[in-house]
Amino acid sequence: MKVIVFGGDGFCGWPTTLRLAKAGHKVMVVDNLSRRAIDDELSSGSLTKIANIRDRVAAAQEKIGDVEFCYLDIAAQPSELRDLIKDFLPDAVVQFAEQRAAPYSMIGDRERRYTVDNNIVGTHNICSAIVDVKPDTHIIHLGTMGVYGYSKKFGKIPEGYLGINITQTKEDTEILYPANPGSVYHMTKCLDQLIFQFYNKNWGLKITDLHQGIVWGVETPETKLDTRLVNRFDYDGIYGTVLNRFISQAANNVPLTVYGTGGQSRAFIHISDTAECIKLSVENDVFDNSRVRIFNQVSEVKSVAGLAEVLRKIYNADVQFVDNPRKELAENELEVSNSGLRSLGFEPVMLDEALIDDVRFVADQSKVNFNKNNVLTSPKW
Ligand code: NAD
Ligand code: USQ
């Protein structure tokens, strides 16, 4: 198949690109390298030393398969985006190209507006171009578990749609799960959902929205094939996500930064499974298109304090409870369905000591890039 990976230079996009190319698909990576620019803006960066995009793509072509690169801003260059789709004629596009850090989106006015403008306009531009240029293209979008909020208020979290009974008519029906974002970033993912509902209803676009949990890990079998293919690894207070932060903190003898009591429960998935789930979604593209297909892309639920305890035990790490910079529930329970991707053959890799050790090895190897000043940099909201 021919697949465009928007945001293919990023943490999830790059391993996915390699997984798709390895499976024999022809992949076009589209990226404006804005994430690398934000590294400079925040005086932060990947713990691993990532190759520049030219060297990455050259290595992918040598070692893996058919990968090309196009430098394009999908929010700011809609006509170039249309031309690209017209020329490449993809069977599927994967949309990773959004500003994805909740803390970044809560820094201030500039970052709030950038996150909304970039994410909503970029995603809408893709839908709008596809309607005119190649309406049978399958759109696969990376959403987030954060669209649901994180609670058991309505029981186990279903895949996108909630079964309800209407009091007035006594009718049973399904509605899009009530959106409950916790940051401007998460709010953009809720707005993306409405764009998809409308483009599916009005033009019948074929759309899969994947509500993904927190991704952890760094390497996949493909990124290990050459040093130029190594994936990025964020550990800072703005882009670093909780488990990868804890692993890099343990490797650098910095106390684990548990926000609040650590009673927050979240869903997690390993980076190699992210790539696998996207591949499954791309390859299983025959489905009932009368509504948007929504899957929860998650493997397991863990609490922040539980994760800290695992690392404390294995690595003798210290734990530091810091004031939570975020406005969120101090404690929550969470249960999530992932039956959709499982029905396509997804067999999740669970968080275990051997795997954490693998990631810690990378964090250990990359000590030279670890800057303690970048650990507690989250804005407060
Ligand atoms: P990332 O920031 O590492 O990658 C995003 C990529 O998109 C970057 O390479 C960036 O340069 C590019 N990009 C952003 N705006 C663009 C634009 N306008 N035009 C072209 N390229 C643009 O993020 P990630 O961790 O790889 O996340 C990818 C997607 O997956 C995001 O949409 C995110 O919301 C979702 N997601 C990520 C996680 C996670 O834990 N990392 C969890 C759930 C969902
Ligand atoms: N946390 C800590 N200590 C830290 C960092 C975070 O206790 O050092 C806590 C946070 O308070 C929060 C939880 O860990 O309760 C998760 O925070 P996170 O930064 O790992 O994840 P989050 O901000 O939710 O965002 C990440 C990705 C985002 C994705 C989301 C999936 O950056 O792109 O959408 O995970 S989910 O959380 O399932 O909505």
Side-chain angles (χ1 to χ4, degrees):
M1 292 169 107
K2 289 198 283 180
V3 186
I4 296 180
V5 179
F6 296 110
D9 185 48
F11 170 62
C12 299
W14 181 242
T16 301
T17 294
L18 300 182
R19 182 68 54 89
L20 291 170
K22 183 91 185 162
H25 302 296
K26 183 177 168 59
V27 185
M28 170 68 74
V29 168
V30 175
D31 206 295
N32 66 349
L33 309 183
S34 53
R35 182 66 194 82
R36 292 180 188 244
I38 292 176
D39 280 343
D40 295 338
E41 175 191 324
L42 298 176
S43 303
S44 169
S46 172
L47 202 57
T48 49
K49 193 170 169 357
I50 48 174
N52 68 49
I53 188 69
R54 220 172 315 114
D55 291 348
R56 269 189 158 183
V57 170
Q61 284 165 352
E62 267 171 47
K63 301 278 166 80
I64 300 204
D66 195 343
V67 178
E68 284 179 81
F69 173 68
C70 174
Y71 177 82
L72 188 76
D73 184 327
I74 63 163
Q77 295 176 276
S79 52
E80 288 84 348
L81 173 62
R82 286 167 77 94
D83 290 346
L84 175 78
I85 294 171
K86 209 185 282 173
D87 291 345
F88 189 75
L89 295 175
D91 299 294
V93 301
V94 186
Q95 162 56 338
F96 290 106
E98 299 194 31
Q99 190 301 100
R100 71 101 173 129
Y104 188 85
S105 77
M106 300 300 284
I107 292 175
D109 173 62
R110 174 179 166 273
E111 293 78 10
R112 289 193 293 268
R113 285 186 296 101
Y114 167 67
T115 303
V116 169
D117 294 348
N118 187 61
N119 295 4
I120 306 299
V121 174
T123 296
H124 181 259
N125 283 347
I126 291 172
C127 294
S128 184
I130 282 175
V131 158
D132 284 348
V133 177
K134 194 170 178 297
D136 63 348
T137 309
H138 180 197
I139 300 173
I140 296 159
H141 172 257
L142 270 291
T144 174
M145 284 303 298
V147 298
Y148 304 112
Y150 313 94
S151 86
K152 284 183 79 173
K153 190 173 170 192
F154 301 121
K156 183 175 181 172
I157 295 185
E159 304 206 89
Y161 302 94
L162 180 69
I164 60 159
N165 178 269
I166 301 171
T167 319
Q168 291 89 333
T169 61
K170 309 278 180 267
E171 187 200 346
D172 286 328
T173 188
E174 281 195 325
I175 56 167
L176 195 62
Y177 196 95
N180 186 10
S183 71
V184 166
Y185 154 71
H186 287 103
M187 182 188 81
T188 64
K189 295 286 181 183
C190 298
L191 296 169
D192 284 344
Q193 292 195 104
L194 294 182
I195 295 174
F196 298 140
Q197 290 294 323
F198 182 70
Y199 271 78
N200 169 264
K201 183 179 81 169
N202 205 61
W203 287 288
L205 286 198
K206 183 167 25 165
I207 300 168
T208 300
D209 202 1
L210 298 169
H211 292 327
Q212 187 170 237
I214 301 173
V215 183
W216 72 282
V218 56
E219 301 253 61
T220 65
E222 295 81 20
T223 65
K224 284 181 180 168
L225 291 175
D226 189 297
T227 51
R228 293 168 296 168
L229 298 176
V230 73
N231 197 16
R232 64 174 300 128
F233 184 107
D234 294 296
Y235 69 95
D236 63 286
I238 295 184
Y239 275 89
T241 50
V242 64
L243 181 51
N244 278 3
R245 273 165 65 71
F246 286 179
I247 293 169
S248 65
Q249 289 163 359
N252 287 279
N253 301 319
V254 167
L256 311 182
T257 54
V258 173
Y259 294 166
T261 62
Q264 310 93 315
S265 289
R266 295 289 183 273
F268 289 84
I269 182 167
H270 189 264
I271 184 67
S272 192
D273 277 347
T274 291
E276 194 57 28
C277 287
I278 305 286
K279 178 173 159 293
L280 286 170
S281 301
V282 166
E283 292 174 350
N284 290 278
D285 65 347
V286 179
F287 56 89
D288 172 14
N289 190 28
S290 62
R291 68 177 186 176
V292 176
R293 177 170 73 167
I294 303 178
F295 292 145
N296 295 332
Q297 188 161 303
V298 303
S299 300
E300 60 193 317
V301 171
K302 296 277 178 197
S303 75
V304 168
L307 293 175
E309 182 55 16
V310 172
L311 283 146
R312 192 191 64 75
K313 270 203 199 133
I314 320 177
Y315 301 115
N316 211 13
D318 287 334
V319 177
Q320 180 190 10
F321 290 89
V322 286
D323 281 348
N324 194 341
R326 306 180 180 200
K327 209 174 277 170
E328 62 184 358
L329 288 175
E331 297 187 357
N332 68 285
E333 283 184 64
L334 188 64
E335 207 186 337
V336 183
S337 167
N338 65 357
S339 56
L341 282 161
R342 276 183 177 274
S343 75
L344 302 184
F346 172 41
E347 288 174 19
V349 165
M350 298 302 185
L351 204 148
D352 79 8
E353 292 176 17
L355 212 51
I356 291 182
D357 219 33
D358 205 33
V359 182
R360 192 174 186 267
F361 176 76
V362 176
D364 226 9
Q365 293 290 301
S366 325
K367 270 186 173 166
V368 63
N369 293 327
F370 187 89
N371 180 350
K372 285 185 183 163
N373 296 327
N374 285 333
V375 170
L376 283 173
T377 50
S378 175
K380 289 190 177 17
W381 72 85

